[in-house]
Amino acid sequence: MKTNENRIRIAIQKSGRLSDDSFALLEKCGIKTGRYKGRLFCHSENFPLDLLLVRDDDIPNLILDGVCDLGIVGTNVLNESLLSLGNSGFSCVYEVQKLNFGASRLSIAIPDNCEYYSVSDLNGKSIATTYPYLLREYLKRNGIEAKIVTLTGSVEIAPRLNIADAICDLVSTGVTLEANGLREVDVVFLSYAALVMTTSPLTPAKQTVYNSFKRRLDSVLQAGESKYIMLHAPKSALKAIVKLLPGVENPTIMNLEGNDRAVAVHAVCKESVFWETIDKLKAEGASAILVLPIEKMME
Ligand code: PRT
Ligand code: ZN
């Protein structure tokens, strides 16, 4: 596939758990993706970026081989691939940015009726997984000698089929483990979707495009975590109320026409605003509380 010197190329999952969020993220960055069913390659019409739609497992190698400059992939897949390549992998591809989706944990689970006190209980056991390299690292780190049974899927049924004593698989809600009579006992690796990139230098034209893309991405990610909050605060409780606002540095304080005892407070909260915070604000006398989403944020 010929690479255009002036366009960056990103690999994303064609269909699966990360696909919709990956496309949505690019769209939020103002990049029209031209996504059509069945297509493996899309050109953005309004940004110099091309998309390669592939299986998630292929993404690290596509970057390693220089076919793509960037990718969006789970850190489970990234690290498993790079560990399988030894040191050379880690020197060619790196994680640029944690994204706000695709979170899960790679965990050890055992049958419900088995006892487990500590990681040393895994000594001499067999563990089925699709992540042998991440599991091997974990066992090594903990000084455990266990047999790794590598499977390509349906890991959760391995104990029932007597293929292994335990499993090491991704967990998000825990429903799959429960449905298979398994219990999570330890976390091997915390995973999330990430923007990953080649360590090879980009051409100057591509670097300019990448810088622009990264600025947009940072702005979208920062805005996603932030909220704009507006409220009325009695002057007597102003200090206490501002202190309750999460991650606020310089709130705007304004007079209220016809009300000498209260002021309006406007602020950007850089952390999540939970119901508990709102309850506490109300308890301090805050009223007319509005919490608004922020679409984009440039600092
Ligand atoms: O076809 P392709 O190879 O591209 O896709 P895939 O089938 O290999 O991957 P896919 O789409 O299932 O997952 C893509 C990525 O999503 C993973 O590599 C993780 O980074 C991330 N992710 C987040 C998950 C989960 N959460 C997850 N829960 N991937 C898989 N699962 C599976 C898990 O393996 C288990 O079977 O969901 C089940 C457990 O879920 P709960 O909710 O029951 O605990
Ligand atoms: Zn896959």
Side-chain angles (χ1 to χ4, degrees), residues 91-149:
S91 58
C92 297
V93 184
Y94 75 107
E95 179 187 330
V96 182
Q97 176 71 58
K98 178 180 181 180
L99 302 175
N100 53 6
F101 56 89
S104 64
R105 50 198 190 274
L106 184 66
S107 290
I108 303 283
I110 58 166
D112 271 335
N113 55 2
C114 289
E115 288 186 345
Y116 184 93
Y117 298 100
S118 74
V119 63
S120 60
D121 292 336
L122 295 174
N123 262 318
K125 297 283 187 327
S126 55
I127 310 171
T129 189
T130 46
Y131 297 92
Y133 286 92
L134 283 169
L135 176 57
R136 185 165 303 145
E137 275 255 310
Y138 163 85
L139 294 174
K140 205 168 135 198
R141 221 168 38 238
N142 288 285
I144 304 296
E145 296 274 347
K147 184 179 168 209
I148 298 175
V149 181

Side-chain angles (χ1 to χ4, degrees), residues 13 15-18 54-57 74-77 102-104 131 156 169-177 191-192:
Q13 193 187 23
S15 67
R17 288 169 192 263
L18 305 182
V54 294
R55 288 196 55 199
D56 65 346
D57 317 72
T75 50
N76 52 320
V77 170
S104 64
Y131 297 92
E156 61 277 359
D169 198 13
L170 291 177
V171 182
S172 41
T173 60
V175 168
T176 305
L177 292 185
S191 175
Y192 46 84

Side-chain angles (χ1 to χ4, degrees), residues 10-29 31 33 35 49 51-53 56 59 71-74 99-102 193-195 213 217:
I10 186 166
I12 65 177
Q13 193 187 23
K14 184 173 186 299
S15 67
R17 288 169 192 263
L18 305 182
S19 308
D20 287 346
D21 286 323
S22 302
F23 276 102
L25 183 64
L26 294 175
E27 299 274 346
K28 275 192 195 159
C29 291
I31 299 170
T33 55
R35 183 186 190 183
L49 177 138
L51 291 93
L52 203 60
L53 309 183
D56 65 346
I59 293 175
I72 293 178
V73 68
L99 302 175
N100 53 6
F101 56 89
L195 177 73
F213 169 60
L217 181 67

Side-chain angles (χ1 to χ4, degrees), residues 227 229 231 240-248 267 269-287 289-291:
K227 293 282 178 278
I229 190 160
L231 55 84
I241 284 176
V242 168
K243 227 172 153 185
L244 283 172
L245 298 173
V248 166
C269 292
K270 293 194 177 162
E271 296 155 31
S272 303
V273 181
F274 294 106
W275 283 109
E276 289 80 4
T277 312
I278 295 175
D279 288 342
K280 283 182 194 161
L281 289 168
K282 281 203 86 77
E284 287 289 347
S287 59
I289 304 171
L290 281 180
V291 182

Side-chain angles (χ1 to χ4, degrees), residues 214-228 246-250 267-271 294-299:
K214 185 66 173 45
R215 266 197 304 276
R216 291 185 185 196
L217 181 67
D218 290 345
S219 142
V220 167
L221 292 176
Q222 212 185 355
E225 286 166 12
S226 306
K227 293 282 178 278
Y228 194 79
V248 166
E249 274 156 29
N250 300 305
V268 174
C269 292
K270 293 194 177 162
E271 296 155 31
I294 297 174
E295 201 180 87
K296 297 182 181 70
M297 209 166 134
M298 288 285 198
E299 296 231 313

